[in-house]
Amino acid sequence: LRVTEDNVGVTTTVLYETLSAANKNDWVTYDTNTGTATIKASRKDGNTIYKLEAISNDVFFNDENLKKVVFEEGSCVKTIAGAAFEGCINLTTITLPDTVTAINSGTFYGCSLLTSVNIPDEVTSIGSDAFNGCDSLDTITIPNSVKSIGEQAFNNCPFTSITIPNSVTEIGANAFFNCRSLQTVVLPNALQEIADELFTGCEALTTVNIPDSVTSIGWGAFADCVSLTSITIPGTVTAVHGTAFK
């Protein structure tokens, strides 16, 4: 809540709201011909200005008609609930506002036609299953603000390469499971563990350099990486668990 008064004594109240199924018509313009949802940055009712700061998980969940999401300029959305766009199987493009601070669990789970999405510089975490099953997402840039990547975050994504910034200290199990087109990966220099099945099924992966910060390599971490011909394991690694390179 913010209350201001202009030079003629008119008081304006600013309220922040969460977009939900109940108020969707107030905040979203939906072009059914193109499948485009435009999300407003603000709206006014008398002397009250409403600004959108969050999106719940019941607005677009499993919306098979949704193809594109546009946030109006000036959007101050910080929070997008987990599974917010899960099951939007025809969603191809979304540009997130710069104010978003996290990609929560399952946000884009199963968006199999998604080809373009940005991760804003304010994002500090990518949750579990965030992009799991995004079978058409062949490129993504992870900003230096990200500190953690959750389990199964990028399962089955068709990346050919991925650079994980040095800001990342934790990557969950199965994060890149079955990324069959992945050929090269750059790991962060503060990573302490190669988690279980992190790169299982990455059939095109050829070379990996494990940073000196890593102390353990988990179960099945590189299992079924049939093209892996070169891997550098530093002396800091004290544990290599069974089937790590099966």
Side-chain angles (χ1 to χ4, degrees), residues 155-188:
N155 274 21
N156 297 303
C157 289
F159 308 133
T160 56
S161 65
I162 186 80
T163 297
I164 304 169
N166 290 330
S167 57
V168 174
T169 59
E170 180 182 356
I171 304 174
N174 306 95
F176 297 96
F177 187 93
N178 272 356
C179 292
R180 292 186 176 91
S181 299
L182 185 63
Q183 299 175 23
T184 60
V185 60
V186 177
L187 295 171

Side-chain angles (χ1 to χ4, degrees), residues 50-224:
Y50 296 90
K51 292 189 175 183
L52 195 67
E53 66 174 356
I55 298 175
S56 70
N57 62 3
D58 62 353
V59 185
F60 300 105
F61 182 80
N62 277 343
D63 185 346
E64 297 185 3
N65 296 312
L66 185 65
K67 296 180 180 179
K68 183 178 181 180
V69 176
V70 177
F71 287 83
E72 276 188 353
E73 186 176 352
S75 175
C76 60
V77 169
K78 293 181 179 180
T79 304
I80 299 176
F85 297 98
E86 179 178 336
C88 295
I89 58 174
N90 289 303
L91 178 64
T92 61
T93 304
I94 183 171
T95 301
L96 299 174
D98 294 339
T99 47
V100 171
T101 59
I103 308 295
N104 287 309
S105 297
T107 298
F108 298 103
Y109 186 97
C111 295
S112 55
L113 294 183
L114 185 65
T115 59
S116 176
V117 61
N118 62 309
I119 300 179
D121 289 339
E122 295 297 317
V123 169
T124 59
S125 63
I126 298 172
S128 59
D129 292 302
F131 297 97
N132 190 344
C134 293
D135 300 340
S136 302
L137 189 64
D138 58 9
T139 182
I140 199 164
T141 300
I142 301 174
N144 291 324
S145 55
V146 174
K147 297 179 180 179
S148 64
I149 297 173
E151 296 181 358
Q152 304 173 156
F154 295 103
N155 274 21
N156 297 303
C157 289
F159 308 133
T160 56
S161 65
I162 186 80
T163 297
I164 304 169
N166 290 330
S167 57
V168 174
T169 59
E170 180 182 356
I171 304 174
N174 306 95
F176 297 96
F177 187 93
N178 272 356
C179 292
R180 292 186 176 91
S181 299
L182 185 63
Q183 299 175 23
T184 60
V185 60
V186 177
L187 295 171
N189 60 19
L191 189 66
Q192 296 183 359
E193 176 190 25
I194 305 296
D196 293 349
E197 297 186 327
L198 185 58
F199 295 105
T200 293
C202 294
E203 300 171 345
L205 189 63
T206 59
T207 303
V208 176
N209 291 321
I210 297 176
D212 292 340
S213 55
V214 172
T215 59
S216 68
I217 300 174
W219 293 89
F222 297 96
D224 298 322

Side-chain angles (χ1 to χ4, degrees), residues 1-4 12-20 23 26-28 39-45 47-56 71-79 97 99:
L1 169 65
R2 186 172 76 232
V3 178
T4 61
T12 299
T13 302
V14 179
L15 298 175
Y16 293 87
E17 288 194 344
T18 295
L19 171 60
S20 66
N23 63 11
D26 293 332
W27 286 104
V28 180
I39 301 174
K40 299 175 185 178
S42 63
R43 60 187 181 86
K44 189 173 183 179
D45 184 2
N47 291 332
T48 301
I49 297 175
Y50 296 90
K51 292 189 175 183
L52 195 67
E53 66 174 356
I55 298 175
S56 70
F71 287 83
E72 276 188 353
E73 186 176 352
S75 175
C76 60
V77 169
K78 293 181 179 180
T79 304
T99 47

